[in-house]
Amino acid sequence: MSCGEPHETDCSEVLDHLYEFLDREMPEGDCVKFEVHFEECSPCLEKYGLEKAVKKLVKRCCGHDDVPSDLRAKVLGRIDLIRSGQAVPDQDVTITGAELPGLAQE
């Protein structure tokens, strides 16, 4: 998506890093560039608003369940392996209803 107008920060760069911006996982200088871009680009501002609303909705609807400690440990261990560049073993990481409280059994 692009509005077709020239910007200091290209629309594709903004949209590629939108979730990093939403989660404040980028340097402050980049956040400022994105904020300037949103002030001058209504299509990107609209996309930002939509993604922010979806994120808020998901948090409200799904943010109350406690994650079992063993599942949390598995996921964090896998993330550490990926970040360190080590080979990630091929193992089933399927989440079952028994691991997540409140998940309906099918």
Side-chain angles (χ1 to χ4, degrees), residues 3 7 14 23 26 32 36 41 44 59 64 66 68 75 83-84 86 93-94 98 100-102 105-106:
C3 67
H7 302 285
V14 171
D23 295 335
M26 59 180 13
V32 170
V36 168
C41 182
C44 287
K59 182 178 181 179
H64 303 293
D66 292 328
V75 171
R83 284 185 176 161
S84 70
Q86 296 179 27
V93 290
T94 304
L100 291 177
Q105 297 289 329
E106 295 182 25

Side-chain angles (χ1 to χ4, degrees), residues 83-103:
R83 284 185 176 161
S84 70
Q86 296 179 27
V88 179
D90 267 345
Q91 58 186 2
D92 184 17
V93 290
T94 304
I95 299 171
T96 66
E99 293 177 285
L100 291 177
L103 186 63

Side-chain angles (χ1 to χ4, degrees), residues 26-38:
M26 59 180 13
E28 185 60 34
D30 290 341
C31 288
V32 170
K33 286 187 343 184
F34 279 41
E35 289 164 357
V36 168
H37 183 90
F38 293 135

Side-chain angles (χ1 to χ4, degrees), residues 49-69:
L50 176 63
E51 296 300 330
K52 185 176 179 180
V54 168
K55 192 171 172 64
K56 186 177 179 178
L57 177 65
V58 168
K59 182 178 181 179
R60 188 180 78 221
C61 295
C62 304
H64 303 293
D65 292 333
D66 292 328
V67 177
S69 58

Side-chain angles (χ1 to χ4, degrees), residues 8-11 13-39 48:
E8 186 175 327
T9 306
D10 190 61
C11 294
E13 179 183 349
V14 171
L15 297 177
D16 286 346
H17 299 282
L18 187 56
Y19 282 101
E20 292 170 58
F21 176 78
L22 281 166
D23 295 335
R24 294 297 189 195
E25 295 177 342
M26 59 180 13
E28 185 60 34
D30 290 341
C31 288
V32 170
K33 286 187 343 184
F34 279 41
E35 289 164 357
V36 168
H37 183 90
F38 293 135
E39 288 175 10
Y48 163 73

